[in-house]
Amino acid sequence: MSAVDEHHQVVDRLAGKIIGIIGGTGPQGRGLARRFADSGLQVVIGSRSADRAEAAAAELGSSVRGATNEDCAETADIVLVTVPWEGHRSQVEALAKELAGKVVVDCVNPLAFDKMGPFAPSVPEGSAAEQAQMLLADATVVAAFHHLSAVVLLDDEVASLDADVMVVGDDREATNLVQDLAGRIAGCRGVYAGRLRNAGQVEALTANLIAINKRYKAHASLRVTDI
Amino acid sequence: MSAVDEHHQVVDRLAGKIIGIIGGTGPQGRGLARRFADSGLQVVIGSRSADRAEAAAAELGSSVRGATNEDCAETADIVLVTVPWEGHRSQVEALAKELAGKVVVDCVNPLAFDKMGPFAPSVPEGSAAEQAQMLLADATVVAAFHHLSAVVLLDDEVASLDADVMVVGDDREATNLVQDLAGRIAGCRGVYAGRLRNAGQVEALTANLIAINKRYKAHASLRVTDI
């Protein structure tokens, strides 16, 4: 048994938990919803429009429901945030009441583009995840799921991903839970990768993966070796 | 043939090239010197003290020589910088004349530590590599070799590494050359991973690898998947 898998054996931390995905109608949100649902989890995707969320959920199968972002945050036990960076601050701030007491998984990559390609803009709080934690004093924020390709997540032909998920956060119980959640995606491992103050470079590295994808015409992800 | 290997077939860009390693008596420098020498390359390791460089070189075998940092920079065709972050600015600045016209490979990880472990300090220029490029207007700076374990590089029992090297830079000829250099380390691939302005997060990610190493008692590196 590898060191990564070891803690999975103790107990199913995800039993009965509902997974919510704020901004879940985008490619990343739908891709994650689909893989979590495939693993038997109950998933609610949220959108500003309940209609749009329900339409996207219907395409993803019977264990995925659609709701407003507010209802999604209220209903779910673990709430992923997959909104565009531009809307991150306002959308997270607006859900502070619903997210109180919950594990919030920030999956957002602050990225900007110009004629030379992608780059990581400066984030005053250090990272999207640290910004979320500052806005959500009563929630436990974990950063994860930055390096998975939405195209691959949504591809019916891909039964199993070749990717690890770096899980970054300060609360051991919460990072363990999110590692287990990552492990529910076929082929993935959730790897603890440091404290929340080290989230910025994990988020920003997505700019490098985009450059790799362009050069090699790939959907690159990362594996952590020797664990 | 993978997309990564394809450009290696055209020509041996490293034929006859001498590899210099500034600050080469530290673990990272010695580890890289040892693997490059194993692949048949001529290597010069530099130190402030020629005696110390010669003593370290003697332990690494007959194709490694020791010299002062100035002589190393002067002699070599491709010059790696593996000095501690604290001495980076002053040591790079002092070698500007010797490094003019050369490919300079910045391998430095700006890191700081406190009681909560490692973190990536803010670097005004964005990264060690961009700082080097600003100090070396007449050289071509590439960032690479951040995520290899010195312990593994120096381990006689490890014949082949399980690691890719992210190569970041703005000059295609220089990044191709450094990719080839990374490919000389048994088991490694040199993977183009974006422009120099995206070096900061590659450097900073070493803080996460240190956290991974601590949690899993490992010497973690990264593989890029789907290429």
Side-chain angles (χ1 to χ4, degrees), chain A residues 49-224:
Chain A
S49 145
D51 287 351
R52 207 161 57 226
E54 283 161 16
E59 287 182 16
L60 290 167
S62 60
S63 54
V64 182
R65 290 190 296 118
T68 63
N69 282 329
E70 290 73 16
D71 286 347
C72 170
E74 178 80 42
T75 306
D77 302 292
I78 303 168
V79 185
L80 281 71
V81 178
T82 64
V83 301
W85 169 235
E86 293 66 33
H88 183 264
R89 178 187 295 276
S90 63
Q91 294 205 53
V92 168
E93 202 163 26
L95 296 169
K97 190 164 59 76
E98 290 84 352
L99 294 174
K102 303 203 170 173
V103 172
V104 174
V105 188
D106 202 301
C107 314
V108 173
N109 298 307
L111 286 181
F113 294 82
D114 63 16
K115 62 185 196 307
M116 295 202 300
F119 63 100
S122 170
V123 178
E125 295 85 354
S127 61
E130 286 163 287
Q131 183 181 90
Q133 186 63 80
M134 283 184 192
L135 296 167
L136 303 173
D138 297 326
T140 303
V141 175
V142 172
F145 301 109
H146 304 91
H147 302 152
L148 302 182
S149 158
V151 173
V152 172
L153 287 168
L154 286 166
D155 187 342
D156 287 331
E157 306 283 305
V158 179
S160 177
L161 275 72
D162 187 8
D164 287 332
V165 171
M166 292 189 188
V167 176
V168 175
D170 294 334
D171 182 284
R172 180 73 177 253
E173 208 174 310
T175 56
N176 282 346
L177 187 68
V178 177
Q179 285 180 252
D180 285 2
L181 184 61
R184 296 296 282 261
I185 301 174
C188 285
R189 299 184 302 176
V191 177
Y192 172 78
R195 288 180 171 271
L196 205 64
R197 65 177 179 176
N198 285 315
Q201 55 266 29
V202 175
E203 297 172 358
L205 199 72
T206 305
N208 302 83
L209 293 179
I210 292 170
I212 291 170
N213 289 344
K214 190 173 175 209
R215 173 68 62 91
Y216 299 101
K217 305 192 195 321
H219 298 295
S221 282
L222 297 175
R223 284 285 191 196
V224 180

Side-chain angles (χ1 to χ4, degrees), chain A residues 114 192 197 216 219 225-226, chain B residues 114 192 197 216 219 221 226:
Chain A
D114 63 16
Y192 172 78
R197 65 177 179 176
Y216 299 101
H219 298 295
T225 62
D226 196 40
Chain B
D114 64 15
Y192 172 77
R197 66 178 178 175
Y216 299 102
H219 299 294
S221 281
D226 197 40

Side-chain angles (χ1 to χ4, degrees), chain B residues 113-186:
Chain B
F113 294 82
D114 64 15
K115 62 183 196 306
M116 293 201 300
F119 64 99
S122 170
V123 178
E125 295 86 353
S127 60
E130 286 163 289
Q131 182 182 91
Q133 186 63 80
M134 283 186 190
L135 296 168
L136 304 173
D138 297 326
T140 304
V141 175
V142 172
F145 300 109
H146 305 89
H147 302 152
L148 303 183
S149 159
V151 173
V152 172
L153 287 168
L154 286 166
D155 187 342
D156 287 329
E157 307 281 306
V158 179
S160 176
L161 275 72
D162 187 8
D164 288 332
V165 171
M166 293 191 187
V167 176
V168 175
D170 294 335
D171 181 285
R172 180 73 176 251
E173 209 173 309
T175 55
N176 282 346
L177 188 67
V178 178
Q179 285 180 253
D180 286 2
L181 184 60
R184 297 296 283 262
I185 301 174

Side-chain angles (χ1 to χ4, degrees), chain B residues 20-32:
Chain B
I21 307 183
I22 303 299
T25 58
Q28 188 189 18
R30 283 186 292 119
L32 291 169

